[in-house]
Amino acid sequence: MKKPILYLVILVILSCTSKNQNEKEQALTDTTQQQQDTLLKALDNSQGLDSTDLKFLQQAAYGGMVEVESSNKILTVTENVNVKSFAEMMVKDHSATNQNLQSLALAKGYSLPTLLPYSKTELINKMDTYKNEGRNEYYLQLMINEHMSAIDLFSLASRSEDKEIRAFANGILPTLETHYQHVKQADSLFKQPKQNQGDDPLK
């Protein structure tokens, strides 16, 4: 009698796992479709912008939101001085950049997205699965990845045929590159062996 019950339990677990995976895949599909629909709608309303420029505005908005939201999250829990200092800079600088981006987009007849897609919120929420130093390390790596992507995105936009978008991208690029150097330095300092601990190879 125990074996049939065990098999039933296993089947239920497998069924739930499959359902959760399907829901996750569907959420990602819906997010991608929503982004495409938003861009198509924006193309109809925008003032002479092509799809590349509109995609830049959309992706820059998403990147800015990730940087601000993840930084605000880490500030509530981290005790690491370097991580805290960098996160505070992210909130300050990217909040200002996001506002300027919003003004630029509205001038072009495009309303920036106000909510992150599932794939982006998942990156931020994953921070909760780590603790202490692991969470700090995850945040710094997230910021490294986000700034690498942002530099590529803004570099492309700096060659846009739209002069306002081109000027905006060229104006923000130096800040992004400075942020990237700061986060690489913070990550390097974070990974240095702690003094007076057994994992210090010099001891």
Side-chain angles (χ1 to χ4, degrees):
M1 186 65 183
K2 289 184 179 179
K3 285 188 177 181
I5 294 176
L6 179 60
Y7 293 151
L8 181 61
V9 170
I10 293 173
L11 285 173
V12 170
I13 293 173
L14 290 174
S15 176
C16 291
T17 302
S18 176
K19 181 180 179 182
N20 289 338
Q21 183 64 29
N22 290 337
E23 288 176 350
K24 185 175 181 180
E25 291 174 356
Q26 184 61 45
L28 290 171
T29 301
D30 292 345
T31 296
T32 302
Q33 185 61 50
Q34 184 180 11
Q35 291 180 37
Q36 292 174 348
D37 292 344
T38 300
L39 281 175
L40 288 173
K41 184 177 180 180
L43 276 172
D44 294 335
N45 300 327
S46 65
Q47 301 175 10
L49 295 179
D50 60 24
S51 59
T52 301
D53 288 332
L54 286 170
K55 186 175 181 180
F56 161 71
L57 293 174
Q58 182 192 71
Q59 295 303 314
Y62 287 150
M65 283 191 283
V66 168
E67 284 150 354
V68 171
E69 290 183 21
S70 59
S71 296
N72 275 324
K73 180 184 278 287
I74 198 69
L75 281 171
T76 65
V77 292
T78 189
E79 295 181 359
N80 184 284
V81 175
N82 292 321
V83 172
K84 184 176 293 186
S85 176
F86 179 77
E88 288 172 345
M89 181 171 62
M90 289 299 94
V91 173
K92 179 177 178 290
D93 291 354
H94 282 286
S95 293
T97 298
N98 292 349
Q99 290 179 357
N100 292 334
L101 181 68
Q102 176 71 18
S103 298
L104 173 63
L106 289 175
K108 298 296 180 181
Y110 175 53
S111 295
L112 294 178
T114 57
L115 296 175
L116 286 170
Y118 176 79
S119 58
K120 296 293 187 181
T121 57
E122 190 175 37
L123 286 176
I124 298 172
N125 292 336
K126 190 175 179 181
M127 199 185 304
D128 295 330
T129 65
Y130 297 91
K131 293 182 179 180
N132 304 324
E133 291 190 352
R135 184 163 45 208
N136 288 330
E137 186 173 0
Y138 176 82
Y139 166 74
L140 292 173
Q141 189 58 55
L142 175 61
M143 289 297 95
I144 288 173
N145 295 340
E146 286 295 315
H147 280 82
M148 288 174 63
S149 297
I151 288 170
D152 288 343
L153 180 68
F154 276 73
S155 294
L156 180 62
S158 70
R159 301 189 293 274
S160 170
E161 294 183 4
D162 184 280
K163 63 180 183 179
E164 284 86 10
I165 288 181
R166 187 169 63 248
F168 177 78
N170 276 308
I172 298 300
L173 262 174
T175 300
L176 292 174
E177 290 166 350
T178 298
H179 288 170
Y180 180 68
Q181 294 304 319
H182 274 296
V183 72
K184 290 285 287 184
Q185 183 180 20
D187 186 58
S188 178
L189 289 171
F190 179 77
K191 290 178 178 177
Q192 283 182 358
K194 308 296 186 299
Q195 292 184 353
N196 301 321
Q197 290 186 5
D199 57 348
D200 190 341
L202 298 179
K203 294 292 184 181

